[in-house]
Amino acid sequence: GSPSLSSTMTVTVNVLDADDLDPIFDQVKYTSKLPEIPGPDTGSPVRLAVPTSPSHILARDGDRGIDARLHYSLVDSPAASYFMIEPSSGGLYLTKHLDREKLTDTTLTLHIRAEQIDNPQRVGSAVLEVRVEDVNDNLPEFEHDIYAISIVENLPAGFSVVQVVAKDPDE
């Protein structure tokens, strides 16, 4: 129009983060050392806290300001059958008898998931390697139960008459 008129105004726009990022673990890889539980499996329940390094297992929502609650779980595997993870805290526990000499590998690899409770499609993952340490829990065993030998009399002192072999499965 004529004459031209105008006005100004300040508008504040707050941009909210959308829920478009997966949970993020503090570490991509955790490690732990755990002694074996020696002796026969008596069937009694086991609940041994598993310490992790460099920190305890923790994931956070990747979106700023949303902080969705997370649910922790272990991906099903032979190694995971020895453990349980607290769904809300990420605390890890050994739940079964663990005999190092019966394992094919002394390092157990666990895959950990953290999924948002309000959006299960948002999932983060991390790896935990648990090194099972040996406990001296096995007796040495001789190679043979009976050693039968024959020797001639009058052998010189210190003459070797038999060599026996014993093996210990412990490190």
Side-chain angles (χ1 to χ4, degrees), residues 15-57:
V15 178
L16 300 177
D17 196 355
D19 189 10
D20 60 348
L21 295 176
D22 293 332
I24 301 168
F25 279 87
D26 285 355
Q27 306 294 324
V28 175
K29 181 179 175 184
Y30 296 89
T31 59
S32 181
K33 292 179 187 174
L34 193 63
E36 68 176 322
I37 298 178
D41 185 357
T42 61
S44 59
V46 174
R47 185 171 169 96
L48 178 67
V50 178
T52 58
S53 182
S55 64
H56 64 279
I57 296 167

Side-chain angles (χ1 to χ4, degrees), residues 50-85:
V50 178
T52 58
S53 182
S55 64
H56 64 279
I57 296 167
L58 181 65
R60 304 173 201 282
D61 186 342
D63 299 299
R64 183 172 292 175
I66 294 178
D67 294 327
R69 288 188 8 206
L70 302 176
H71 178 270
Y72 295 93
S73 62
L74 296 174
V75 174
D76 195 23
S77 71
S81 68
Y82 290 96
F83 301 91
M84 68 85 59
I85 193 164

Side-chain angles (χ1 to χ4, degrees), residues 112-167:
I112 306 164
R113 290 173 39 104
E115 76 179 36
Q116 286 182 207
I117 291 175
D118 65 344
N119 186 354
Q121 294 175 339
R122 295 280 167 226
V123 177
S125 62
V127 172
L128 169 63
E129 289 184 352
V130 180
R131 182 169 172 254
V132 181
E133 296 183 320
D134 195 21
V135 172
N136 189 13
D137 62 329
N138 292 289
L139 296 172
E141 295 179 7
F142 285 99
E143 195 172 71
H144 302 288
D145 291 335
I146 298 173
Y147 290 85
I149 59 165
S150 298
I151 59 170
V152 295
E153 63 180 313
N154 297 329
L155 289 174
F159 186 83
S160 177
V161 293
V162 68
Q163 181 176 352
V164 298
V165 175
K167 294 182 180 176

